[in-house]
């Protein structure tokens, strides 16, 4: 990390009519960092990404990318940025390879430079065999990889990825993580949104968790787990007896579905207690807490519309 | 440069994209321009025309020839910038992809309009030899059709783009097609002189129907007979093109930049 701030937002607000999609968020992304946005559906992640991409004007606040204001220098910013949108917008009128060369033209990259670059990227994303097919004939995962290849055509130093691995099989997801990590190690900056906690934990140096347009917490994934949840989670089948028993021993717990969940530093003790004193006969599991536990703890379990 | 209208040479990148896509199916695209004038000249020129000795001192085929060019110019640009642009905008999300690159939304729409005008020119160029073979247009004055088709094409492209910008769905585009394009096709001095109609209809036609002006200009090229009226029509077309292009770009920006 060189300490250069690539993206800087201060009190950033985005409104659609009466709906406040982004509600005064502030954050900084440093050069060479992988920075993740997590949050339930409708949290305002895509709205934030689109403002950074200079395709959606902010309602108020400040937003600078590469030190430039997004509304005063969109051209300069977009020239150095690669974008993977949440919704696919690959051009179906061209073959895979032609589409990449076509896209390069928007960046003033001449064909004789774009063609080898396209081949290189197709190899990078393991799509060489599909270079002459049309987009329609690609599977969903291949399309996602192609969009990623497209986002790299202009050698961007900042990548904005809105749910890059949604709908991918584990192989493709691992391939993309590996490629992303490689790009970050070369000094590029990545901003991504994701619903996969594992992805955030593996890939991101820092994350924020957003909900209803606000940033709830920010930090390194492992530190967030430490700060917001005890080290272990004990889960057991729930029953009125068990809940009574836990209350009696003054142990805090959550219930959802047919499980009780107990955050604890001492899983052995809690397990022993459940089995011996609460005379549990169902299943008891103890595991280290994860980012997902933190996420659910902070954003609740209600389903978002 | 970002203030007002950030339009640069990049409009040609949008134009190039559409040309590339057009050329992938060029065979299908090139057939109608040949076929259409032949069908019309046979049916209307020879068929209907055999009942008509002369219209305003020229044969019926020579009278409708400029109308065929004008209608082709209108349809090519109007339908390119309505249905085709709508598909690119809404279904293919091509514009969304483009504005995430150094292109601005203004450039994307301006490029679409230029491409619509290009479709008009392509149509006019392909029809030209057919009309020559039928002997219904004069040379060399008819060559002026080509530069004028750029302007007239832009006009109809911009008109179409205005509807594309405000239509809630692709079906909504049927309204301007039936309620504007069809009457315009019939009541613009195309297949009979406007002077046959009551004068208030003539006034309405020349006030609101772009095709009426386009036909008047192109007719003076193909018949090689210039009159001062033509200058008024040229000015009308130029003015309307500037106004509608500006409006269409504004409306599209309003629709797409949220
Ligand atoms: N173009 C728009 N017009 C009106 N409201 C919008 C628009 N785009 C987004 N919204 C609203 O803004 C809020 C935030 O949406 P956004 O797409 O940013 O969420 P998100 O965090 O990306 O969600 P997801 O995880 O489902 O992709 C939502 O309530 C959404 O309905
Ligand atoms: Mg989203």
């Amino acid at each position: 990390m060189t300490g250069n701030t690539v993206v800087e937002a201060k009190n950033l607000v985005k409104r659609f009519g009466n709906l406040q999609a982004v509600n005064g968020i502030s954050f900084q992304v440093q050069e060479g960092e992988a920075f993740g946005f997590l949050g339930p559906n409708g949290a305002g992640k895509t709205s934030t990404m689109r403002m950074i991409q200079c395709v959606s004007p902010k309602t108020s606040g400040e937003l600078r990318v590469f030190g430039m204001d997004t509304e005063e220098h969109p051209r300069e910013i977009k020239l150095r940025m690669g974008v993977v949108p949440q919704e696919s917008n690959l051009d179906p009128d061209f073959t895979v390879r032609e589409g990449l060369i076509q896209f390069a033209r928007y960046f003033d990259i001449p064909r004789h430079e774009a063609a080898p670059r396209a081949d290189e990227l197709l190899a990078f994303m393991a799509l060489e065999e599909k270079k002459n097919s049309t987009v329609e004939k690609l599977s969903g995962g291949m399309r996602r990889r192609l969009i990623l290849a497209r986002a790299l055509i202009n050698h961007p130093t900042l990548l904005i990825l809105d749910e890059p691995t949604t709908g991918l099989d584990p192989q493709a997801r691992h391939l993309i993580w590996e490629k992303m990590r490689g790009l970050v190690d070369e000094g590029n900056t990545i901003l991504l949104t994701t619903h996969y906690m594992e992805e955030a934990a593996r890939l991101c140096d820092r994350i924020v968790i957003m909900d209803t347009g606000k940033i709830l917490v920010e930090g390194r994934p492992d530190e967030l787990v430490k700060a917001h949840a005890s080290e272990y989670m004990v889960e057991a089948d729930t029953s009125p007896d068990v809940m009574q028993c836990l209350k009696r021993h003054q142990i805090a717990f959550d219930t959802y579905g047919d499980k009780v969940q107990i955050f604890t530093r001492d899983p052995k003790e809690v397990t022993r207690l459940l089995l011996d004193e609460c005379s549990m006969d169902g299943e008891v599991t103890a595991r280290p807490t994860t980012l997902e536990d933190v996420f659910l703890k902070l954003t609740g379990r209600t389903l978002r519309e | 440069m970002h203030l007002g209208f950030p339009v640069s040479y990049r409009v040609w990148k949008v134009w190039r994209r559409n040309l590339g896509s057009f050329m992938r199916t060029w065979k299908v695209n090139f057939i109608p321009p040949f076929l259409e004038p032949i069908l019309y000249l046979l049916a209307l020129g020879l068929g209907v025309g055999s009942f008509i000795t002369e219209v305003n001192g020229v044969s019926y085929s020579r009278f409708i020839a400029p109308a065929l060019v004008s209608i082709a110019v209108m349809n090519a640009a109007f339908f390119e910038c309505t249905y085709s642009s709508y598909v690119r905008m809404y279904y293919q999300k091509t514009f969304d992809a483009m504005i995430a690159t150094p292109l601005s939304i203004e450039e994307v729409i301006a490029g679409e309009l230029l491409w619509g005008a290009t479709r008009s020119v392509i149509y006019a160029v392909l029809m030209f030899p057919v009309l020559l073979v039928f002997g219904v247009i004069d040379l060399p004055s008819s060559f002026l059709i080509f530069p004028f088709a750029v302007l007239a094409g832009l006009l109809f492209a911009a008109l179409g783009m205005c509807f594309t910008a405000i239509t809630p769905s692709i079906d909504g585009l049927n309204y301007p097609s039936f309620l504007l394009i069809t009457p315009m096709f019939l009541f613009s001095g195309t297949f009979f002189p406007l002077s046959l109609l009551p004068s208030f209809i003539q006034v309405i036609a020349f006030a609101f129907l772009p095709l009426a002006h386009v036909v008047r200009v192109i007719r003076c090229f193909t018949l090689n007979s210039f009159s001062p009226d033509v200058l008024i029509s040229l000015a009308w077309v130029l003015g309307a093109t500037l106004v509608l292009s500006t409006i269409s770009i504004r409306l599209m920006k309003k629709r797409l930049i949220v």
Side-chain angles (χ1 to χ4, degrees):
Chain A
M1 244 185 259
T2 62
N4 278 338
T5 304
V6 178
V7 182
E8 182 174 20
K10 273 190 208 149
N11 290 319
L12 188 60
V13 172
K14 179 73 197 181
R15 249 196 308 268
F16 297 104
N18 288 329
L19 192 141
Q20 190 106 346
V22 178
N23 205 342
I25 61 172
S26 303
F27 60 90
Q28 290 194 347
V29 182
Q30 306 300 324
E31 190 174 339
E33 216 181 1
F35 193 90
F37 279 80
L38 274 64
N41 291 144
K45 304 179 297 295
T46 299
S47 306
T48 306
M49 295 303 125
R50 286 172 47 81
M51 286 188 279
I52 299 169
Q53 291 160 27
C54 310
V55 298
S56 171
K58 62 182 190 257
T59 305
S60 67
E62 271 179 56
L63 182 58
R64 302 174 81 76
V65 180
F66 302 123
M68 293 177 279
D69 185 281
T70 46
E71 273 160 52
E72 279 169 34
H73 300 279
R75 195 100 85 190
E76 292 86 337
I77 293 170
K78 290 193 286 183
L79 204 52
R80 295 163 59 184
M81 190 158 70
V83 170
V84 171
Q86 182 170 359
E87 211 180 332
S88 169
N89 57 21
L90 287 165
D91 199 329
D93 289 357
F94 298 91
T95 63
V96 166
R97 186 170 180 272
E98 271 305 311
L100 287 177
I101 296 170
Q102 172 61 44
F103 201 76
R105 191 184 288 126
Y106 304 146
F107 290 92
D108 287 330
I109 303 169
R111 193 179 186 88
H112 67 87
E113 278 173 37
R117 178 73 181 152
D119 292 332
E120 186 189 315
L121 288 170
L122 289 175
F124 186 63
M125 285 295 157
L127 283 169
E128 280 156 311
E129 286 181 12
K130 295 288 173 185
K131 68 178 180 183
N132 292 322
S133 36
T134 54
V135 174
E136 274 169 26
K137 297 203 181 101
L138 300 183
S139 74
M142 291 172 182
R143 284 179 206 194
R144 218 63 202 141
R145 266 141 64 196
L146 180 57
I147 295 203
L148 202 56
R150 191 184 71 175
L152 295 171
I153 197 90
N154 56 325
H155 297 273
T157 55
L158 170 63
L159 269 176
I160 315 267
L161 314 169
D162 200 349
E163 301 191 17
T165 60
T166 296
L168 294 189
D169 63 24
Q171 286 86 345
R173 185 169 301 148
H174 281 269
L175 173 90
I176 286 182
W177 288 347
E178 188 191 312
K179 304 293 183 194
M180 293 302 103
R181 205 57 239 180
L183 289 166
V184 172
D185 292 344
E186 286 167 22
N188 299 296
T189 311
I190 290 185
L191 232 77
L192 78 142
T193 78
T194 181
H195 289 299
Y196 298 111
M197 301 300 138
E198 193 198 348
E199 179 163 292
R202 276 189 174 214
L203 204 52
C204 295
D205 300 305
R206 278 193 306 147
I207 60 167
V208 294
I209 297 180
M210 276 185 91
D211 197 7
T212 58
K214 292 210 178 75
I215 291 179
L216 301 178
V217 287
E218 178 195 314
R220 293 169 50 90
D222 51 349
E223 285 172 3
L224 284 179
V225 175
K226 263 194 212 132
H228 293 274
S230 310
E231 278 164 66
Y232 294 91
M233 157 78 82
V234 178
E235 282 180 321
D237 293 341
T238 185
S239 71
D241 288 350
V242 169
M243 292 203 283
Q244 277 293 324
C245 171
L246 286 169
K247 276 187 194 141
R248 210 165 41 219
H249 288 87
Q250 291 179 342
I251 292 173
F253 62 90
D254 287 320
T255 52
Y256 85 99
D258 56 353
K259 295 274 180 203
V260 284
Q261 291 192 325
I262 302 141
F263 282 114
T264 177
R265 289 212 150 66
D266 193 350
K268 271 191 196 143
E269 175 56 21
V270 173
T271 313
R272 189 199 58 77
L273 191 119
L274 279 168
L275 293 174
D276 296 353
E277 317 216 350
C278 302
S279 53
M280 274 279 313
D281 48 3
E283 200 171 288
V284 179
T285 53
R287 59 174 173 80
T289 47
T290 63
L291 198 53
E292 187 143 346
D293 298 320
V294 177
F295 182 89
L296 289 170
K297 189 177 166 198
L298 291 173
T299 59
R301 288 191 180 274
T302 359
L303 200 63
R304 302 311 157 101
E305 305 196 316
Chain B
M1 191 162 84
H2 58 284
L3 294 167
F5 255 37
V7 173
S8 69
Y9 68 95
R10 290 187 169 88
V11 294
W12 294 107
K13 297 176 182 296
V14 181
W15 183 88
R16 269 296 278 115
R17 182 232 163 255
N18 289 342
L19 178 70
S21 155
F22 176 82
M23 293 310 284
R24 281 171 60 85
T25 51
W26 67 273
K27 278 180 202 144
V28 210
N29 295 331
F30 281 5
I31 293 168
F34 280 115
L35 217 55
E36 246 177 48
I38 296 178
L39 296 178
Y40 272 100
L41 284 171
L42 290 178
L44 292 179
L46 293 181
V48 178
S50 63
F51 295 99
I52 302 163
T53 39
E54 273 187 350
V55 181
N56 293 349
V58 297
S59 76
Y60 191 59
S61 294
R62 281 171 56 79
F63 180 77
I64 64 165
L68 297 183
V69 179
S70 305
I71 289 165
V73 163
M74 170 176 81
N75 285 343
F78 186 83
F79 289 104
E80 180 66 29
C81 287
T82 47
Y83 295 96
S84 304
S85 289
Y86 191 86
V87 168
R88 285 192 283 275
M89 168 183 78
Y90 186 81
Y91 295 100
Q92 301 186 177
K93 311 257 177 245
T94 312
F95 300 174
D96 288 345
M98 284 176 173
I99 60 172
T101 75
L103 303 179
S104 68
I105 185 67
E106 289 87 350
E107 284 159 352
V108 172
I109 305 306
E112 286 280 309
L113 296 180
L114 281 174
W115 171 246
T118 305
R119 292 288 313 249
S120 295
V121 175
I122 292 171
Y123 226 106
V125 167
L126 292 172
M127 284 177 86
F128 201 80
V130 178
L131 300 174
L132 270 184
V133 168
F134 275 82
V136 289
I137 58 175
D138 286 348
L139 287 181
S141 59
S142 289
F143 283 122
L144 288 171
I145 287 173
F146 302 137
F148 183 66
V150 178
L151 180 63
L154 264 182
L155 170 59
F156 291 114
L159 181 67
M161 194 60 85
C162 288
F163 291 113
T164 305
I166 58 174
T167 187
S169 74
I170 196 160
D171 297 322
L173 293 172
N174 296 341
Y175 292 107
S177 309
F178 290 126
L179 299 178
L180 181 65
I181 297 299
T182 307
M184 195 147 64
F185 165 83
L186 294 169
F187 294 98
S188 296
T190 40
F191 301 107
F192 59 89
L194 268 180
S195 56
L196 296 178
L197 295 173
S199 59
F200 79 94
I201 295 189
Q202 293 182 42
V203 171
I204 292 175
F206 281 113
F208 297 113
L209 300 184
L211 187 62
H213 294 281
V214 171
V215 169
R216 187 147 78 173
V217 174
I218 293 187
R219 187 165 281 140
C220 99
F221 296 154
T222 63
L223 298 178
N224 193 17
S225 67
F226 288 82
S227 77
D229 284 356
V230 169
L231 294 176
I232 296 174
S233 285
L234 265 177
W236 194 101
V237 171
L238 191 64
T241 305
L242 290 174
V243 171
L244 288 176
S245 307
T246 311
I247 294 176
S248 70
I249 292 175
R250 290 255 163 89
L251 288 175
M252 269 299 197
K253 184 169 180 179
K254 206 173 148 205
R255 175 172 191 145
L256 293 176
I257 304 298
V258 287

